[in-house]
Amino acid sequence: NGGLIVPGQFFLENSKETRGSEGRVNGTKQINSLYFMANLGWRNQLYLDITGRNDWSSALVYTNGTGNYSYFYPSVSSSWVFTESFEMPHWLTFGKVRASWAQVGNDTSPYFINRGYSITNYELSNGNVYGNAMADSSVDPDIKPERKNSIELGLDARLFSGRLTFDFAWYDETIKNQIGSVPLPNESGLNGGLITNVGSLQNKGLELSVGVVPVRTNDFQWTSTFNYWDNTTLVKDLHESYGEYRKLDGDPDYGNYRIGSVAYNGGQYGVLMSDSKPKVWKSDDPNDPRNGMKILTFNNTDKQAYYTRSYEIEEVGKLQPDFEGSWNNEFKYKNLTLSVLIDARYGGHLASYSNKYGTTYGFLETSLKGRDGHGGIVWTSQ
């Protein structure tokens, strides 16, 4: 309607006279795959599974037809039912060990590495003025597909006809070449940064499940299951453009936040850092009795003292728990089942902004101490 703003580009927003309309195919990509599977077994005790797959993804093809858009990933897993191989005590009903190695490839979102332009227009009394808004990011021409490498070892055992069960697993998973944006200097004019491979994440840990059936009759059964898992996520190969760390949420040294979760090389994912710890006295004289004492600032207007902020960014906590677990009890009477589940999370920290503001402005009970003059900080002048 009225011709095209940009010649040869046929979409509704490119029509000179169209307003408030949009027509397009959005978020579409194509993946072609070729894969194989092989399953082998021997005498119901040894098993071997082998897979391989190759993907060709349009999301990793640049507009000139180049890119690392083809990627292959295999897997191998095996298991051995050792109770079928040896004569076992009557109380060991079933036993199996397992091991696996797998690699998984991954691309990215459609059009993520091919940023185009958008059309803008300004309506004037005598017609329209049109313009193009260019993408504010650049793309690394050597960007690679993501890769996930995982190893797992496990043991599965059942005793006393299933009255006692064990399932143990140890795993190590590393996701390499994660795709994202890294910052560029402001002088580049690209506030969206550089789209490239930003780093790797390693998940490692163990899982344990123990189940017991204390009571089993014709009409009633009580099953109790305890689960324990300990997972650690580490940051590796973080892109150097992030500097000392990459901010994930919040901000360690800005505005009213003064705390944030970050990622840095060799550290856990989601470490909490802040610059708001009190500043302490540090003297060249090791015998100075004030060494290590918190420094106060006196506000002459309000006639009060408060701890001086250190303005030194340091680690104050972590989001990841030390370990987690659960305890589930299931009681089954004929066709009626009742279950009770308790979840546990030990360790880890939370940064609560509502708690911070509530304390700062005196809305929470924790801010009452010292208000009546019988508490608070004792001020000693220098």
Side-chain angles (χ1 to χ4, degrees), residues 228-282:
Y228 168 91
W229 59 97
D230 181 359
N231 178 79
T232 302
T233 303
L234 298 175
V235 179
K236 295 187 173 182
D237 306 321
L238 190 66
H239 199 284
E240 59 183 8
S241 295
Y242 289 119
E244 294 184 11
Y245 56 81
R246 177 186 178 182
K247 297 176 184 178
L248 302 175
D249 198 5
D251 203 308
D253 60 349
Y254 176 77
N256 289 330
Y257 278 99
R258 317 309 306 196
I259 190 169
S261 59
V262 306
Y264 60 86
N265 258 332
Q268 290 194 29
Y269 185 85
V271 169
L272 293 174
M273 302 189 77
S274 174
D275 72 344
S276 295
K277 274 196 170 183
K279 186 177 181 179
V280 298
W281 184 268
K282 298 177 182 179

Side-chain angles (χ1 to χ4, degrees), residues 188-256:
S188 68
L190 299 172
N191 295 329
L194 174 68
I195 300 172
T196 184
N197 300 111
V198 299
S200 303
L201 283 179
Q202 180 187 26
N203 291 308
K204 60 180 182 179
L206 55 88
E207 298 176 351
L208 174 64
S209 178
V210 180
V212 60
V213 183
V215 180
R216 179 189 289 167
T217 65
N218 292 333
D219 296 330
F220 178 77
Q221 178 171 308
W222 170 24
T223 304
S224 185
T225 305
F226 172 78
N227 297 296
Y228 168 91
W229 59 97
D230 181 359
N231 178 79
T232 302
T233 303
L234 298 175
V235 179
K236 295 187 173 182
D237 306 321
L238 190 66
H239 199 284
E240 59 183 8
S241 295
Y242 289 119
E244 294 184 11
Y245 56 81
R246 177 186 178 182
K247 297 176 184 178
L248 302 175
D249 198 5
D251 203 308
D253 60 349
Y254 176 77
N256 289 330

Side-chain angles (χ1 to χ4, degrees), residues 55 57 60 67-72 104-108 142-148 176-179 197:
D55 286 350
S57 172
L60 294 174
N68 297 307
Y69 52 84
S70 175
Y71 45 98
F72 173 77
V104 178
N106 190 32
D107 57 356
T108 186
D142 295 323
I143 196 169
K144 300 178 180 63
E146 296 180 357
R147 298 275 184 168
K148 177 182 177 182
K176 301 179 63 178
N177 300 327
Q178 291 208 19
I179 299 174
N197 300 111

Side-chain angles (χ1 to χ4, degrees), residues 295-308 377-382:
I295 297 176
L296 299 174
T297 296
F298 187 75
N299 186 311
N300 193 53
T301 302
D302 298 328
K303 304 299 181 184
Q304 65 178 1
Y306 55 88
Y307 289 131
T308 305
I377 300 173
V378 177
W379 167 263
T380 302
S381 173
Q382 295 188 45

Side-chain angles (χ1 to χ4, degrees), residues 217-221 330-338:
T217 65
N218 292 333
D219 296 330
F220 178 77
Q221 178 171 308
E330 182 179 275
F331 306 92
K332 184 175 182 180
Y333 177 73
K334 294 185 177 180
N335 294 326
L336 180 65
T337 301
L338 172 68

Side-chain angles (χ1 to χ4, degrees), residues 52-105:
R53 174 168 172 159
N54 200 97
D55 286 350
W56 293 264
S57 172
S58 66
L60 294 174
V61 180
Y62 295 103
T63 52
N64 62 3
T66 63
N68 297 307
Y69 52 84
S70 175
Y71 45 98
F72 173 77
Y73 46 96
S75 73
V76 179
S77 63
S78 62
S79 61
W80 173 34
V81 184
F82 56 84
T83 48
E84 295 289 332
S85 303
F86 305 105
E87 190 71 27
M88 292 292 174
H90 69 278
W91 49 265
L92 182 56
T93 309
F94 176 83
K96 179 177 72 173
V97 292
R98 61 185 186 273
S100 65
W101 174 85
Q103 187 179 87
V104 178

